[in-house]
Amino acid sequence: MKIAAIPRISVRGVLAGFGLAVLGLVFATPYVWMVVSAFKPRAEIFANIYPLSWRTFVPLQPTLQNFIDLFTQHEFLRPLINSIGLAIAGVVISLTINSLIAFVLAWLDFPGRNLLFIAILATMLIAFEAKIVPLFLVIQRLNLYDSYLGILVPWITDAYFIFLLRQHFKELSQDLFDAAILDGCSYFRIYWSVMLPNIKPGLVSAAFIKFIFTWDSYIWPLVAVQDESKTVITVALAKLFADEYILWELVFAGSFIATIPVLILFLFIQRYYVQGFLTSGLKG
């Protein structure tokens, strides 16, 4: 009977695991405190912060009143729905357009292709603050101010997504492209039916990043929208700080709600998200 070998545990591995555990604890502790504080009455939130004890992380008088007040008195549901809708629409539209551009730059040979790609990448060097005023003037001229499209349109194309998806397209076999050409497929059919299904990890990575970007956007929605019914969750959270007396229990409750969609999405796609970066490569 063959006895399986017992894996050796090195000191370096133990130290690395311990270091990662400590680092994870450091990053997780503030979030855990925020979550449990969302279920605490106002008087209890800061009562047991110092010194740290189990009372700091366990609600002694748990309550859902913070969430009730958030949705009834501050109408938090509308910004939440707006953010979810904008994030989903941003992901779908952005992935469609950016993947088309990436496919063209990866597989279609035309004069100036590399120069065009360099010009697209150069836009990543422009600071966000330098683009706010020109973008604001553009959406005003297009009559998109104070609308959902005014929030989405300026950020549909993204140089980073084009770069990421182009690298995934470049990793595919030339034989796959040539076989599709021999079968009489059009360029769009090659893109849609042949190439796109083979870069799912890259699409998932780009989708998750775009979702986070749209979900966390604060400055641009604040500039582009004035109508309260079109505000997003980040702006709604910031308005809880506007009063002289900060409603910390509502801030924590709203922050907890704002993290739930992101956590759920990441738990479902984390395997593809990591794989998307590991397989992107830097092929020219």
Side-chain angles (χ1 to χ4, degrees), residues 38-53:
F39 297 91
K40 291 182 178 181
R42 183 184 308 174
E44 189 185 332
I45 291 178
F46 298 102
N48 300 299
I49 291 183
Y50 184 83
L52 288 178
S53 65

Side-chain angles (χ1 to χ4, degrees), residues 9-25:
I9 301 176
S10 63
V11 176
R12 182 180 297 179
V14 172
L15 292 176
F18 179 75
L20 290 174
V22 172
L23 188 63
L25 183 63

Side-chain angles (χ1 to χ4, degrees), residues 143-187:
N143 294 321
L144 296 179
Y145 177 69
D146 207 16
S147 68
Y148 295 124
L149 285 177
I151 299 176
L152 282 178
V153 168
W155 313 108
I156 286 177
T157 57
D158 189 285
Y160 176 72
F161 296 150
I162 294 173
F163 168 77
L164 178 65
L165 296 176
R166 176 184 177 272
Q167 299 311 116
H168 279 275
F169 278 124
K170 294 287 285 184
E171 291 293 328
L172 299 180
S173 172
Q174 179 70 41
D175 295 337
L176 190 65
F177 183 82
D178 294 340
I181 292 291
L182 291 175
D183 286 342
C185 295
S186 64
Y187 285 133

